[in-house]
Amino acid sequence: MANQFTQHELKNFNKALEEKITAAVGDQSKWKDVLPELMGAEVFVVAQVSDKTDDKGNRLLNLLTMTNKDGQTAVPFFTSPQRMSVLATPQRKQINCMKMNTVKLFQAIKGKIALLNPGSPDCARMFSPFETNLLVMENLDKLPKTEAPAAPAENTEE
């Protein structure tokens, strides 16, 4: 399957990006250089495809959300599978996740807080709804390009 990874690939997924995020957590001035790379990156979300569709016929995603003590809802997303381990419990050792582009994720969660790597003190950040909307507008060029369908083959026999 296309979404399966080797252990080596999983271990090194977004490793360079995580190192830059860790540096930015320690020095806030570095975020301006890290954010464009994060927006173009593939990240992991805990989600599953819903049976419901939007008005355009696209199937909706059910995303995991977290609620803080003040009742604010946030969507966690992760740079690597190792960062997702904070969600594992003795009762829940497997998690349904999917990989998606950060711009696409931020478009999907419009109006919600996004939490990058929650539970990772060295590699975490909160994005406000205003910030996620601004980052989407600034980084639309980082959306994955969908390939045009191949042109039908011409019949060369006469």
Side-chain angles (χ1 to χ4, degrees):
M1 292 179 90
N3 286 331
Q4 291 186 350
F5 300 96
T6 66
Q7 287 292 11
H8 178 72
E9 288 171 326
L10 287 175
K11 185 176 181 183
N12 292 309
F13 193 84
N14 283 337
K15 187 173 184 172
L17 176 59
E18 286 186 351
E19 290 170 359
K20 292 175 185 177
I21 292 169
T22 299
V25 168
D27 179 354
Q28 295 296 309
S29 68
K30 294 184 179 183
W31 276 109
K32 69 181 184 322
D33 297 323
V34 176
L35 286 174
E37 188 173 342
L38 174 63
M39 296 307 294
E42 296 285 316
V43 294
F44 289 97
V45 292
V46 179
Q48 64 186 78
V49 179
S50 171
D51 292 334
K52 297 178 183 175
T53 58
D54 65 13
D55 56 351
K56 296 178 185 173
N58 299 315
R59 291 182 70 183
L60 301 174
L61 284 178
N62 291 325
L63 294 171
L64 171 75
T65 58
M66 304 169 92
T67 305
N68 69 13
K69 62 182 182 229
D70 298 326
Q72 293 176 309
T73 301
V75 176
F77 68 108
F78 303 87
T79 50
S80 67
Q82 293 84 359
R83 301 282 178 182
M84 293 180 72
S85 66
V86 300
L87 300 176
T89 65
Q91 297 80 23
R92 182 178 54 195
K93 294 178 183 171
Q94 290 189 331
I95 299 169
N96 290 331
C97 69
M98 63 185 345
K99 199 174 63 154
M100 70 187 309
N101 171 271
T102 308
V103 174
K104 195 168 188 154
L105 170 64
F106 282 8
Q107 284 179 322
I109 65 168
K110 195 173 197 163
K112 290 189 173 62
I113 295 168
L115 293 175
L116 173 63
N117 297 324
S120 300
D122 65 330
C123 195
R125 185 170 194 269
M126 183 187 82
F127 295 88
S128 70
F130 174 80
E131 190 174 17
T132 60
N133 291 338
L134 183 63
L135 286 167
V136 165
M137 289 187 293
E138 291 175 346
N139 292 282
L140 286 172
D141 61 319
K142 294 188 175 52
L143 279 170
K145 305 287 186 253
T146 53
E147 292 183 23
E154 292 184 34
N155 186 358
T156 57
E157 293 180 30
E158 294 189 25

